[in-house]
Amino acid sequence: MTEASYPATRLRRTRAHGWSRAMHRETVLTTADLIWPLFVTSGKGVEEPVASLPGVSRWSVDGIASRAKEAVELGIPCIALFPNTPSDKRSERGDEALNPDNLMCQAIKAVRDACGNDVGILTDVALDPYTSHGQDGLIDDDGYVLNDDTVAVLVDQALNQAEAGADIIAPSDMMDGRVKAIRMVLEMNDFPNAQIMAYAAKYASAFYGPFRDAVGSGGLLKGDKKSYQMDPANADEALREIALDIAEGADSVMVKPGLAYLDVIWRAKQQFGVPVFAYQVSGEYALIEAGAAAGVADREALLMEKLVAFKRAGCSGVLTYHAPVAARLLNG
């Protein structure tokens, strides 16, 4: 397309007033685009601030229910739950993941009792919050994460969460074949409407540190996760991962982290046309908070600009710890 020449075309005309900028805005962010990640901890009436995530806390189950009510009031459609499993309940095989009364299941039930079906509940499927070694799966004597043995446990973990009332099962482990196995067990156990949001392109990123602090796995991690999480240099491989997860039964896919991988989000949306979500991970959140505290820029402007970037790249929604802040700004 050839643009008319100046002065017939003055692109600043439509930017001159706020009403006109709003009318011509190509990308719109609403509260319905937000998913709020929440950390669950033991006890009652407990709030534990996460030092590496300013403004984010771990909440006991009753507090999680209160946060879910807050999400409903703010118009946030979905919360994502992550447990901080006590050290005495962690094991080599992550057996606590299968306990129907673990922190995750308690939180699911509490949210459902408090909010009914007014808010969606997304649950993380991976073993790192439950293992004593901090890896997402079962390991052999050399510390290598075993794919098929891990998938067998993840299937039971997913079913445990579905039985507790989870709406969206979100496997974040990056094992091959786990989406198909989870879809099959959900169908076989009469959970045909349980959604799967696959962490389809999850990278071995430097941005995860504060999250690992929040779920208590950071200090436990032996080795790294590069044998199953993706190489940050690869994008074509991400599309192969996404294609496999869609074929295996994923209803939506996720790219994690978000901002450093906008190209992957864009390509996934263009190629597959499925709902693509991004996780604005803990390190991304912490950098905004640190930058604002250092006077780099206004905190609200920083966080909103980044959220709009995800939408502009093609995201259907964003998991972000800034969800309640953003929702309040959007609600005016």
Side-chain angles (χ1 to χ4, degrees):
M1 182 180 67
T2 302
E3 291 282 357
S5 61
Y6 171 90
T9 299
R10 291 178 181 263
L11 292 177
R12 290 184 58 191
R13 286 189 191 119
T14 58
R15 303 176 202 152
H17 302 286
W19 63 263
S20 183
R21 292 190 294 274
M23 190 169 69
H24 290 85
R25 188 162 293 136
E26 298 173 23
T27 303
V28 178
L29 179 72
T30 74
T31 59
D33 298 316
L34 305 173
I35 298 175
W36 186 6
L38 294 165
F39 298 108
V40 193
T41 196
S42 302
K44 187 173 182 180
V46 175
E47 178 185 358
E48 298 173 345
V50 181
S52 54
L53 281 173
V56 175
S57 295
R58 305 181 195 92
W59 299 89
S60 51
V61 169
D62 54 317
I64 292 292
S66 297
R67 301 289 75 70
K69 290 180 180 178
E70 183 181 352
V72 173
E73 292 169 0
L74 290 171
I76 298 170
C78 187
I79 59 172
L81 300 177
F82 301 90
N84 177 33
T85 303
S87 58
D88 62 349
K89 293 186 177 180
R90 295 174 183 260
S91 64
E92 281 284 311
R93 296 184 59 83
D95 298 306
E96 181 66 8
L98 308 185
N99 179 3
D101 194 40
N102 63 23
L103 281 175
M104 178 71 87
C105 293
Q106 289 180 38
I108 294 168
K109 294 170 185 176
V111 170
R112 188 65 71 222
D113 288 344
C115 300
N117 291 316
D118 290 339
V119 68
I121 305 172
L122 182 153
T123 54
D124 176 64
V125 173
L127 298 183
D128 54 321
Y130 307 94
T131 56
S132 54
H133 46 71
Q135 293 287 358
D136 291 29
L138 307 183
I139 59 175
D140 64 16
D141 292 340
D142 296 321
Y144 183 79
V145 174
L146 302 167
N147 192 91
D148 295 3
D149 291 353
T150 296
V151 169
V153 180
L154 297 177
V155 164
D156 291 338
Q157 182 186 13
L159 181 59
N160 188 36
Q161 295 174 359
E163 289 175 339
D167 297 298
I168 305 174
I169 302 298
S172 64
D173 55 286
M174 289 298 287
M175 298 298 112
D176 292 333
R178 90 279 204 212
V179 171
K180 180 178 180 180
I182 291 170
R183 174 56 69 204
M184 289 177 64
V185 80
L186 292 174
E187 292 289 333
M188 290 168 59
N189 287 273
D190 200 27
F191 292 104
N193 291 327
Q195 298 179 39
I196 296 177
M197 182 188 292
Y199 286 63
K202 181 178 180 180
Y203 286 85
S205 172
F207 287 97
Y208 299 152
F211 174 91
R212 291 172 183 167
D213 292 341
V215 298
S217 67
L220 301 175
L221 182 60
K222 299 175 182 177
D224 57 44
K225 303 190 177 187
K226 294 180 180 179
S227 73
Y228 50 100
Q229 294 180 356
M230 285 189 56
D231 185 333
N234 293 356
D236 290 343
E237 183 186 16
L239 299 185
R240 294 177 68 194
E241 288 277 11
I242 290 167
L244 284 169
D245 284 356
I246 295 169
E248 291 179 11
D251 301 285
S252 57
V253 295
M254 188 195 302
V255 176
K256 179 182 179 180
L259 199 67
Y261 300 92
L262 292 180
D263 59 317
V264 176
I265 294 167
W266 171 257
R267 290 179 65 183
K269 187 64 177 181
Q270 294 300 305
Q271 182 158 332
F272 301 109
V274 301
V276 179
F277 291 79
Y279 199 142
Q280 186 182 44
V281 298
S282 57
E284 296 177 80
Y285 171 92
L287 287 176
I288 292 173
E289 295 297 314
V296 170
D298 177 75
R299 173 175 176 257
E300 294 177 357
L302 284 172
L303 71 91
M304 295 302 282
E305 184 174 341
K306 291 191 176 189
L307 292 177
V308 168
F310 291 123
K311 285 286 292 181
R312 193 180 66 246
C315 280
S316 296
V318 185
L319 286 81
T320 175
Y321 305 101
H322 279 127
V325 179
R328 290 186 180 94
L329 293 172
L330 290 167
N331 290 333

